[in-house]
């Protein structure tokens, strides 16, 4: 009996289920992520972590400089997002090569993060869930979406961008209709924050 009890104590808890959280520019993805945290579930912010990793990982720095040039980092050794964005915005091949450098490092960082979590659900926030087929590594995918005109206005107001600037970014992203077809769960953010929070609560607690 003592031996059985000892084995039970040593048994590892089941791994949490990974929910991929995504949404196009202006969809409200980050707001939904904050609501999810309020409801007690951990969120891994892939885009934010990538920003840290490209500055902290010396091996990545070397590879990115080799790909895009020394100007990829400023005189203080800090990743120059504006310069890099300008280099890859209209160059799919360069963008793919950059992703192939950064995303494996983010994946490892995420896997280490998951091992530290104790909740039965964890959320991986990423703008490129479907584009990079990361949804295949998730138990479920959760899409935050909104009508294009609403998303455009939000970004124009938030980032002080012109309609054409926002449109150019949206044209580079996977169409919403395609994401909707692929998503397991969908939150429509077309009204107000109260409704958005209610939808978020309903959706995440319905995941089994």
């Amino acid at each position: 009996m003592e031996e059985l009890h000892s084995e039970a104590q040593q048994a590892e808890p089941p791994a949490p289920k990974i929910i991929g959280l995504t949404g196009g520019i202006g969809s409200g993805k980050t707001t939904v992520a904050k609501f999810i945290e309020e409801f007690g579930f951990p969120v891994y912010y892939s885009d934010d972590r990538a920003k840290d990793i490209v500055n902290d990982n010396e091996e990545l720095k070397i590879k990115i400089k080799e790909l895009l040039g020394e100007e990829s980092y400023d005189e203080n050794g800090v990743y120059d997002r504006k310069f890099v964005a300008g280099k890859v915005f209209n160059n799919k091949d360069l963008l793919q090569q950059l992703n192939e450098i950064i995303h494996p490092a983010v994946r490892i960082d995420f896997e280490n993060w998951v091992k530290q979590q104790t909740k039965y659900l964890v959320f991986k926030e990423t703008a490129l869930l479907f584009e990079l087929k990361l949804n295949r590594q998730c138990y479920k995918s959760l899409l935050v979406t909104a009508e294009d005109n609403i998303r455009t206005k939000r970004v124009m107001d938030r980032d002080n961008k012109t309609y054409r600037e926002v449109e150019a970014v949206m044209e580079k992203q996977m169409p919403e209709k395609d994401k909707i077809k692929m998503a397991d769960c969908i939150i429509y953010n077309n009204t107000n924050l109260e409704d958005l929070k209610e939808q978020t609560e309903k959706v995440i607690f319905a995941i089994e």
Side-chain angles (χ1 to χ4, degrees):
M1 289 293 291
E2 287 183 6
E3 187 176 338
L4 287 173
H5 181 66
S6 175
E7 287 178 0
Q9 282 185 323
Q10 293 175 9
E12 293 185 6
K17 293 174 178 176
I18 298 167
I19 311 301
L21 172 63
T22 194
I25 187 170
S27 65
K29 168 173 57 77
T30 303
T31 303
V32 167
K34 297 302 181 185
F35 287 151
I36 288 170
E37 288 181 313
E38 284 184 31
F39 292 129
F41 295 98
V43 178
Y44 179 90
Y45 293 90
S46 300
D47 302 334
D48 289 345
R49 282 299 299 146
K51 292 174 188 175
D52 294 333
I53 290 168
V54 294
N55 282 308
D56 298 339
N57 189 313
E58 292 301 323
E59 186 179 341
L60 283 194
K61 283 187 176 184
I62 293 170
K63 290 180 179 179
I64 291 170
K65 286 179 181 178
E66 287 176 350
L67 177 67
L68 301 176
E70 291 291 327
E71 304 95 325
S72 304
Y73 289 80
D74 66 19
E75 63 273 11
N76 298 314
V78 177
Y79 187 68
D80 190 332
R81 291 177 58 79
K82 188 174 181 180
F83 172 82
V84 172
K87 290 278 285 189
V88 304
F89 189 72
N90 288 309
N91 191 321
K92 287 185 177 181
D93 289 338
L94 265 186
L95 178 59
Q96 183 177 341
Q97 291 178 67
L98 180 63
N99 284 337
E100 287 171 355
I101 292 171
I102 295 174
H103 289 292
V106 176
R107 186 187 69 247
I108 293 169
D109 185 71
F110 172 70
E111 289 170 353
N112 291 332
W113 177 86
V114 170
K115 292 174 185 176
Q116 300 170 15
Q117 306 309 314
T118 57
K119 293 288 186 177
Y120 69 95
L121 294 181
V122 298
F123 290 78
K124 182 178 186 178
E125 177 270 347
T126 174
L128 300 174
L129 184 73
F130 298 122
E131 289 87 338
L132 297 177
K133 298 179 173 58
L134 300 174
N135 55 310
R136 296 178 180 177
Q137 303 162 14
C138 299
Y139 175 69
K140 297 279 187 183
S141 58
L142 171 55
L143 171 68
V144 185
T145 188
E147 295 173 7
D148 285 354
N149 61 321
I150 294 175
R151 293 169 55 216
T152 301
K153 187 177 187 309
R154 283 177 186 153
V155 180
M156 289 172 65
D157 293 343
R158 182 189 70 194
D159 299 342
N160 196 30
K161 291 184 178 294
T162 66
Y163 177 85
R164 187 68 195 101
E165 287 173 329
V166 179
E167 189 180 47
V169 174
M170 290 174 65
E171 285 174 353
K172 297 285 183 183
Q173 298 185 336
M174 180 184 289
E176 292 297 291
K177 59 182 177 62
D178 294 341
K179 292 180 183 178
I180 289 170
K181 290 177 184 175
M182 300 173 72
D184 296 307
C185 310
I186 303 171
I187 292 174
Y188 292 94
N189 182 20
N190 292 317
T191 55
N192 53 55
L193 285 176
E194 184 179 355
D195 176 64
L196 182 63
K197 189 170 186 177
E198 287 178 2
Q199 283 191 70
T200 302
E201 183 177 21
K202 184 176 180 179
V203 167
I204 66 173
F205 284 105
I207 297 172
E208 297 179 351

